[in-house]
Amino acid sequence: GAGVSQSPRYKVAKRGQDVALRCDPISGHVSLFWYQQALGQGPEFLTYFQNEAQLDKSGLPSDRFFAERPEGSVSTLKIQRTQQEDSAVYLCASSSARIAGRSYEQYFGPGTRLTVT
Amino acid sequence: GNSVTQMEGPVTLSEEAFLTINCTYTATGYPSLFWYVQYPGEGLQLLLKATKADDKGSNKGFEATYRKETTSFHLEKGSVQVSDSAVYFCALSWGYGNKLVFGAGTILRVKS
């Protein structure tokens, strides 16, 4: 389909392992967002890309979290040395926004559920 | 900082009942306001939005009005259906790139 896709859908990691979560945005969407959703909570912003430039990473909880979008399309969120508190659903969203200050709809992927044991 | 507070759930209603889910926000400047819905087993979907004061967003029988004076964006529907059972999130967007700030979500259960 033409929506946002994420892989894997489920990931179980042992504490201390590194994980990589992938997001394929809608084709042509220049803006890409990552959010973290803990159980029973609303999503919380992690980071934002416009094309390949990471313009806002203020929501990344620690230096163990790293995101990239090298060609301005697919993005990867990497978590190093996973901890139990990293267990959550990681959501990716994309939008066609090109202009700051304008509200464009964000289209969300199904998320990756990460469980750290 | 910017934040969104919405009523706690779950909210349980009978089919055809009137729905209100309260949402208030705190923000610097003039954010845009949104309601997102998450149906069981599905991803987040935009339900409706309003970008300036007194705007009314509407979709699928749901409505919400951007009230700057009360910093509110309450979601309403005149007659709910079983298929409306879902988790509803109020959100605002602000700043460069328009990142979203979400409330904690309200579970709605509609019984036939």
Side-chain angles (χ1 to χ4, degrees), chain A residues 29-34 45-57 60 66-70 72-77 92-95 97, chain B residues 96-97:
Chain A
H29 277 192
V30 301
S31 294
L32 185 145
F33 302 80
W34 283 99
F45 170 79
L46 293 176
T47 188
Y48 158 64
F49 291 85
Q50 188 172 80
N51 296 307
E52 69 279 2
Q54 189 175 20
L55 298 183
D56 187 345
K57 52 183 180 180
L60 295 176
F66 172 77
E68 60 184 6
R69 193 186 185 198
S73 178
V74 171
S75 178
T76 304
L77 176 67
C92 176
S94 70
S95 84
Chain B
Y96 192 80

Side-chain angles (χ1 to χ4, degrees), chain B residues 5-25:
Chain B
T5 302
Q6 57 183 108
M7 64 188 288
E8 290 189 21
V11 174
T12 303
L13 296 173
S14 297
E15 209 165 19
E16 299 183 3
F18 184 85
L19 168 71
T20 299
I21 300 178
N22 290 336
C23 171
T24 57
Y25 68 90

Side-chain angles (χ1 to χ4, degrees), chain A residues 5 12 16 24 34 37 41 50 52 55-56 60 74 78 83 93 105 112 114:
Chain A
S5 61
V12 179
D24 282 84
W34 283 99
Q37 186 175 17
Q41 300 297 314
Q50 188 172 80
E52 69 279 2
L55 298 183
D56 187 345
L60 295 176
V74 171
K78 297 178 179 178
Q83 304 294 315
E105 179 176 353
T112 295
L114 173 65

Side-chain angles (χ1 to χ4, degrees), chain B residues 1 11 15 29 54 62 69 73 76 89 98 103 110:
Chain B
V11 174
E15 209 165 19
D54 299 324
F62 290 89
E69 64 275 13
F73 193 55
E76 296 182 337
F89 293 92
N98 295 298
V110 181

Side-chain angles (χ1 to χ4, degrees), chain A residues 33 35 37 40-45 48 50 55-56 58 91 97 99-106 108-110, chain B residues 31-34 36 38 41-46 49 51 89 93 95-105:
Chain A
F33 302 80
Y35 295 87
Q37 186 175 17
Q41 300 297 314
E44 293 192 357
F45 170 79
Y48 158 64
Q50 188 172 80
L55 298 183
D56 187 345
S58 61
L91 298 170
I99 303 171
R102 297 285 298 276
S103 290
Y104 291 81
E105 179 176 353
Q106 292 185 26
F108 283 81
Chain B
S32 294
L33 301 174
F34 304 82
Y36 277 82
Q38 190 168 37
E42 298 185 17
L44 276 170
Q45 303 173 26
L46 178 64
K49 72 175 185 181
T51 58
F89 293 92
S93 75
Y96 192 80
N98 295 298
K99 58 190 172 188
L100 290 165
V101 175
F102 287 89

Side-chain angles (χ1 to χ4, degrees), chain B residues 74-97:
Chain B
H74 305 320
L75 182 68
E76 296 182 337
K77 186 174 186 183
S79 176
V80 293
Q81 305 299 312
V82 172
S83 57
D84 293 327
S85 298
V87 183
Y88 291 81
F89 293 92
C90 185
L92 63 82
S93 75
W94 67 284
Y96 192 80

